Amino acid sequence: MKSIPSRAIAQLIEQLARAIHSASHAHGLYPAQWTALRFFSTADKQHRTATALTRYQGIAFGPVSRTVRTLIVKKLIRRQLGESDQRIHSLQLTARGTALLKQDPLNVLTKALDGLGSADRRALVVGLEAALRTLASRDSDIALDPDA
C-alpha cells in the first residue's frame, strides 16, 4: 500500500472534526453542550463537576460554567450536593438529558466506526492517541504560522 502523506491525514481529521462540529448544532444545543452531556453521562460520580469538565476540555472555567448553567436551565442536568463535602456539587443528567443523548449527533460517527474491523479500529486509536499526546505535550500556543 502506498504511503499516505501526513498532511492529507491531518486534512481528513480536520474535515471530520468540522463535520462533527456542524452536526452538533442539533436539538437546540451547541457542540460544547453535547460534549458536557456526554461527559456527565460517562464520568465517575466524583468527577461529575464543572471543574472536571474544565480539565477534560482543556478550556477556561468561564465557558464551562455558562454551559453548565444553560444545561441546568434546559433541565438536562441538575446539581446534587456532594455526599461527603456539601461544598462540592455533583452534576447529574436528568431523565430528559438521558433521553436527549439517544439522539446524540455523534451516534452517526459511532455507527460508521462500527463498520471498521478490529485491526483498523486498533490502528486508528493508536494513531489518534499518539497525535493527541504530541499536541498535548506542545506549548498551549500552537503556532498557526506554517513557517514556525
Side-chain angles (χ1 to χ4, degrees):
M1 178 181 222
K2 185 178 174 186
S3 179
I4 302 169
S6 296
R7 182 70 174 187
I9 297 169
Q11 288 173 324
L12 282 172
I13 292 170
E14 179 188 33
Q15 285 178 325
L16 180 61
R18 288 182 185 278
I20 292 166
H21 186 80
S22 291
S24 293
H25 288 87
H27 302 287
L29 297 183
Y30 292 102
Q33 295 166 343
W34 281 109
T35 298
L37 282 181
R38 288 182 208 114
F39 177 82
F40 294 130
S41 74
T42 59
D44 293 336
K45 192 172 183 176
Q46 70 269 20
H47 292 112
R48 292 181 193 158
T49 64
T51 302
L53 178 61
T54 299
R55 285 190 203 112
Y56 171 76
Q57 289 187 294
I59 61 175
F61 186 76
V64 170
S65 179
R66 283 188 294 278
T67 294
V68 166
R69 274 196 314 269
T70 300
L71 293 175
I72 290 170
V73 168
K74 290 179 180 260
K75 298 185 182 338
L76 299 173
I77 62 173
R78 67 176 183 281
R79 280 194 174 96
Q80 187 173 10
L81 290 176
E83 294 170 5
S84 59
D85 187 343
Q86 302 250 328
R87 295 172 298 169
I88 297 173
H89 294 260
S90 177
L91 298 162
Q92 308 294 321
L93 261 67
T94 62
R96 185 175 175 179
T98 301
L100 188 59
L101 270 178
K102 292 178 182 170
Q103 300 174 43
D104 185 348
L106 204 56
N107 292 344
V108 174
L109 177 58
T110 301
K111 287 181 182 177
L113 294 172
D114 285 344
L116 296 177
S118 180
D120 287 340
R121 291 164 65 118
R122 191 174 340 280
L124 182 60
V125 167
V126 168
L128 290 174
E129 284 178 343
L132 283 170
R133 277 193 303 278
T134 299
L135 289 174
S137 69
R138 294 186 62 187
D139 293 335
S140 60
D141 268 27
I142 295 177
L144 298 178
D145 180 1
D147 297 325

